[in-house]
Amino acid sequence: MTMTAPPPGKKLNRIGLELQAYRGSKTTLCAGCGHNAISERIIDACFELGIEARQVLKLSGIGCSSKSPAYFLASAHGFNSVHGRMPSVATGALLANQKMLAIGVSGDGDTGAIGIGQFVHLMRRNLPLVYIIEDNGCYGLTKGQFSPTADVGSTLKNGVVNDLPPIDTCLMAIELGASFVARSFSGDKKQLLTILKAALSHRGTAMIDVLSPCVTFNDHQGSTKSYAYVKDHDDPVSEVSFVPYFEDISIEYDPGTTHEVSLHDGSRIYLKKLEEDYDPTNKEQAVRVLHETAARGQYATGLLYVEPQKPDFCSLLNLVDEPLAHLPLERVRPGREVLEEIMERQR
Ligand SMILES: Cc1ncc(C[n+]2csc(CCOP(=O)(O)OP(=O)(O)O)c2C)c(N)n1
Ligand code: SF4
Ligand SMILES: [Mg+2]
């Protein structure tokens, strides 16, 4: 392929595309909504990794967050499902074509309330999918009611106090078997971008809970999901850097201060330890740190847990390499002789 020189000031990625090629339609969400910043980081991550948009499958449920896939990767495939039902649609789609790169966008209500049953089974299957929860602690689309991730004691704009304990989706994902679990903040460009790039290069369920303030209904004093609160209570477990498989860079670091994690495609994640000696492959430690930070009213952010070699759902099912959706009828509907042979074997 011959590549023409980019117009002055325009940067092209490794497949010769401009950032513009990764954009979607113009957002209809409120100005300042955290969800818009997350769409921007997804655009940046796909551009920087040189992902082919037509290889991407965008999935969502219902909510302001679930509208987001319309605002990135216009030429990707998309499916906006029913409220809380995106995981089963994603499972079917990926079983039909495991070559697709799937990005699911959900909300804390879409996942933690109506969709909690589907979320649980998605996590334990380790389906190869990047699953993003745009977490604002409320049902933004239906005017800001508390969602299941709202903290005890946090208040609505009108002063109503939440007295139910929150669901921690990261804790659930780790316990249930997701092989990549992270928490980030829509206002932390660098951390979120790095985590997204690593998640897109991981084979298995990459569950990212992104604190994403709702400026219209949940950004006031008394909310623990406001920009001010999250900024002041962010407690990163490590500093994350990412080197994709196509970059031949070796990072120098002092042994004992940095963890290196290799992904299945040869990409590498470097995690520089902060105060705590945090090991992202240690499940018990991840669970303990999440409990401890929550008890202090803080958010542990960064890559919390990773298990890069864990078999994903498609390999567990022993699927043929060729996408099932592309197999000819003769191969998906074997003839009478094959059936008879199978029956014979059972006798
Ligand atoms: C079956 C069903 N029940 C309820 C609703 C109403 N509803 C639409 S969005 C939503 C909650 C969205 O909250 P969340 O997932 O947190 O997204 P956000 O708008 O906060 O981004 C609800 C309850 C619906 N659309 N369908
Ligand atoms: S209502 Fe809240 S969640 Fe919905 S677009 Fe506006 S700021 Fe975002
Ligand atoms: Mg919400």
Side-chain angles (χ1 to χ4, degrees):
M1 185 171 73
T2 47
M3 260 198 241
T4 45
K10 297 269 187 203
K11 197 177 151 203
L12 300 186
N13 67 4
R14 72 189 178 100
I15 61 164
L17 295 176
E18 286 178 28
L19 183 72
Q20 190 58 28
Y22 291 86
R23 297 204 174 282
S25 359
K26 196 172 176 307
T27 180
T28 58
L29 302 182
C30 307
C33 174
H35 303 350
N36 286 329
I38 301 172
S39 298
E40 289 299 318
R41 298 296 81 73
I42 295 173
I43 292 168
D44 293 342
C46 292
F47 169 74
E48 289 183 22
L49 290 176
I51 286 172
E52 297 240 26
R54 62 193 168 83
Q55 278 301 111
V56 175
L57 176 60
K58 307 180 289 183
L59 300 131
S60 62
I62 299 290
C64 296
S65 34
S66 292
K67 287 168 71 179
S68 300
Y71 314 133
F72 59 82
L73 268 57
S75 42
H77 303 267
F79 198 110
N80 185 207
S81 79
V82 185
H83 199 16
R85 277 25 175 209
M86 177 254 281
S88 49
V89 175
T91 308
L94 280 162
L95 290 187
N97 190 344
Q98 57 162 318
K99 301 281 182 202
M100 300 300 288
L101 177 57
I103 305 176
V105 180
S106 181
D108 40 306
D110 191 66
T111 289
I114 196 166
I116 194 75
Q118 298 230 342
F119 175 73
V120 165
H121 293 283
L122 180 74
M123 295 302 121
R124 64 188 270 273
R125 286 178 173 161
N126 200 28
L127 190 76
L129 159 88
V130 178
Y131 187 94
I132 300 167
I133 303 177
E134 300 190 337
D135 185 359
N136 53 19
C138 70
Y139 300 157
L141 191 72
T142 55
K143 300 203 178 301
Q145 304 86 344
F146 286 125
S147 82
T149 67
D151 289 301
V152 181
S154 61
T155 58
L156 289 181
K157 253 178 152 176
N158 61 9
V160 173
V161 180
N162 177 39
D163 43 21
L164 286 174
I167 286 177
D168 186 327
T169 50
C170 289
L171 268 176
M172 281 188 84
I174 294 171
E175 294 280 18
L176 288 164
S179 50
F180 182 116
V181 179
R183 173 163 283 138
S184 192
F185 170 37
S186 63
D188 187 340
K189 274 189 180 183
K190 187 168 170 271
Q191 186 197 54
L192 179 56
L193 175 61
T194 313
I195 287 175
L196 282 170
K197 286 196 287 186
L200 286 162
S201 309
H202 172 74
R203 180 87 190 166
T205 301
M207 204 301 287
I208 315 171
D209 180 66
V210 189
L211 298 158
S212 175
C214 167
V215 285
T216 303
F217 298 111
N218 206 11
D219 198 32
H220 48 273
Q221 209 179 1
S223 160
T224 57
K225 299 280 194 282
S226 64
Y227 279 108
Y229 187 94
V230 178
K231 221 181 270 171
D232 288 349
H233 296 79
D234 185 358
D235 191 5
V237 292
S238 49
E239 215 175 275
V240 205
S241 320
F242 175 73
V243 180
Y245 73 92
F246 52 84
E247 276 182 16
D248 191 19
I249 302 169
S250 55
I251 292 196
E252 301 240 329
Y253 55 84
D254 293 332
T257 63
T258 305
H259 254 287
E260 182 183 329
V261 180
S262 298
L263 299 182
H264 82 113
D265 67 353
S267 300
R268 285 158 293 148
I269 305 171
Y270 293 93
L271 297 140
K272 188 164 171 242
K273 296 170 189 174
L274 296 176
E275 325 92 67
E276 172 129 20
D277 194 8
Y278 197 83
D279 172 3
T281 61
N282 181 335
K283 199 176 250 197
E284 288 74 30
Q285 187 188 30
V287 168
R288 180 175 53 75
V289 166
L290 277 167
H291 280 298
E292 285 173 1
T293 42
R296 295 197 299 269
Q298 289 183 309
Y299 292 112
T301 62
L303 178 56
L304 300 166
Y305 180 66
V306 65
E307 195 180 341
Q309 305 310 332
K310 183 170 182 166
D312 69 89
F313 193 50
C314 298
S315 28
L316 279 175
L317 291 183
N318 244 334
L319 292 185
V320 288
D321 202 40
E322 203 179 338
L324 298 186
H326 297 175
L327 292 179
L329 209 56
E330 313 84 79
R331 284 183 65 194
V332 286
R333 285 184 61 191
R336 175 178 289 276
E337 323 74 65
V338 180
L339 181 62
E340 275 165 7
E341 199 191 308
I342 293 171
M343 296 305 285
E344 196 55 43
R345 266 192 264 141
Q346 306 307 312
R347 290 212 178 101

